[in-house]
Amino acid sequence: IDIRDVSLRYGDRQVIKRVSVQIEQGEFFVIIGPNGAGKTTLLKALSGLHPLSAGDIEIRQKAIAGYSRKELARTLALVPQQINADFPFTVAETVLMGRYPHLGLLSVEGREDLRLAEQAMELTEVSHLASRRLGQLSGGERQRVIIARAICQQSKILLLDEPTASLDPAHQLRIMDLMERLRQQEQLTIVMVSHDLNLASTYADRLLLLKDGEVEQIGTPRQVLTQEQLSKSYGCTLLVDENPLLGTPRVSLVSEKIAAAIKSEKVEL
Ligand code: ADP
């Protein structure tokens, strides 16, 4: 994915300003940054859902504007942040929709499509929910169904907008481990927006830190997740030390009271 000098706007408000970044095939790439930084808008532009006001996005050396909708859906799958709970379909039907970009005009799903849908439901642990309607599920279950649909789509690029936000720790881990496995086995490229800096630290090859629509930093978790950088970008005190098991940066919140004590040099960080 080659993002070159991209600017994005809503009306006359520019929310992404001349962002450039290249994401390699098979990379686990995480976009972080404060609320309103433009992360979701950038992800939407990557999936062809938001027009570019300047610059270019190329996927596999082809401009995104040159892709048909179906071709783009075969190339990338988006797991959005908001999922409509009124979606009037069952879990199995929803996951099977991931096959549409692969079907010819007027053709129906075949055996292989059903097998892929079943496999995706097993991977995300939603098989037991197959006949339930999406509206009858918890937020976390719904999220796993949408991830199953994206996997069923069999595209080589997965775009995920805060995919673990409504998941409990065990499911967060399983989904992240699944992403990691898909990346290694299938050479999938994963682009994920996340507020979970520790998750990003554990899984990302590289991070993009966005602030006010601009690139603050791009680099490995070690390069980006520093106490100085994070505290500056998020406007609060964050403590960064080392994860004792993995050696990766570990980020902890510091309350305002303690931050004030540190400032007055009563506590040393
Ligand atoms: P993030 O994902 O980093 O929280 P977003 O990409 O959602 O940021 O939003 C970036 C900016 O664009 C914010 O200031 C937000 O208020 C604004 N924005 C988001 N969606 C819309 C919209 N549909 N219309 C107008 N402004 C929007």
Side-chain angles (χ1 to χ4, degrees):
I1 304 173
D2 190 0
I3 303 171
R4 278 200 306 259
D5 251 352
V6 162
S7 298
L8 305 170
R9 48 177 73 239
Y10 290 103
D12 50 15
R13 245 188 88 226
Q14 195 168 25
V15 295
I16 288 287
K17 297 159 201 157
R18 306 197 60 163
V19 167
S20 293
V21 58
Q22 284 80 43
I23 303 170
E24 303 297 327
Q25 183 175 347
E27 192 169 15
F28 205 129
F29 192 85
V30 180
I31 305 171
I32 60 169
N35 286 331
K39 304 181 295 297
T40 295
T41 310
L42 184 59
L43 207 65
K44 277 190 188 155
L46 279 181
S47 58
L49 294 175
H50 193 100
L52 311 183
S53 65
D56 293 303
I57 297 179
E58 280 188 3
I59 295 177
R60 294 179 168 174
Q61 275 110 44
K62 180 172 165 181
I64 206 165
Y67 281 81
S68 71
R69 275 191 64 163
K70 245 185 168 172
E71 195 185 356
L72 197 59
R74 284 196 297 264
T75 309
L76 52 85
L78 174 71
V79 177
Q81 201 178 101
Q82 306 277 351
I83 307 145
N84 188 357
D86 300 331
F87 204 54
F89 297 100
T90 67
V91 167
E93 286 164 348
T94 306
V95 175
L96 201 54
M97 281 173 197
R99 300 307 301 155
Y100 284 4
H102 299 273
L103 302 178
L105 204 64
L106 302 180
S107 64
V108 291
E109 302 90 356
R111 264 203 182 164
E112 178 63 4
D113 300 307
L114 292 170
R115 190 189 67 77
L116 287 167
E118 272 166 25
Q119 194 181 41
M121 286 193 288
E122 275 166 31
L123 284 170
T124 52
E125 301 172 63
V126 294
S127 305
H128 63 292
L129 305 170
S131 56
R132 297 254 296 270
R133 282 180 192 280
L134 232 58
Q136 301 168 335
L137 305 182
S138 74
E141 288 168 339
R142 218 176 297 142
Q143 186 68 296
R144 288 185 351 249
V145 172
I146 301 304
I147 293 173
R149 183 179 66 182
I151 291 172
C152 189
Q153 208 168 314
Q154 280 196 311
S155 43
K156 285 290 186 191
I157 302 172
L158 273 185
L159 307 174
L160 304 133
D161 198 351
E162 294 189 43
T164 56
S166 50
L167 302 182
D168 66 37
H171 282 107
Q172 279 185 25
L173 260 180
R174 277 186 233 150
I175 290 293
M176 292 305 287
D177 285 345
L178 171 63
M179 293 301 143
E180 177 60 26
R181 213 162 59 236
L182 289 172
R183 180 180 83 108
Q184 281 185 359
Q185 287 172 3
E186 317 282 335
Q187 274 283 296
L188 289 197
T189 308
I190 314 260
V191 184
M192 187 175 108
V193 168
S194 182
H195 278 303
D196 192 328
L197 301 175
N198 286 311
L199 229 124
S201 176
T202 307
Y203 289 93
D205 293 315
R206 284 190 308 150
L207 300 170
L208 161 62
L209 173 55
L210 271 184
K211 183 155 187 232
D212 298 330
E214 291 179 279
V215 174
E216 280 260 299
Q217 227 191 341
I218 300 173
T220 62
R222 249 176 214 288
Q223 289 167 333
V224 178
L225 301 175
T226 65
Q227 196 157 298
E228 199 188 356
Q229 179 71 62
L230 293 180
S231 301
K232 183 174 126 229
S233 302
Y234 286 92
C236 64
T237 309
L238 292 163
L239 174 69
V240 180
D241 61 357
E242 205 173 77
N243 180 318
L245 211 56
L246 306 172
T248 48
R250 178 175 61 178
V251 185
S252 310
L253 304 177
V254 177
S255 75
E256 279 187 13
K257 197 170 141 196
I258 295 182
I262 294 165
K263 244 191 183 152
S264 64
E265 292 177 355
K266 284 195 193 114
V267 177
E268 208 172 309
L269 209 58

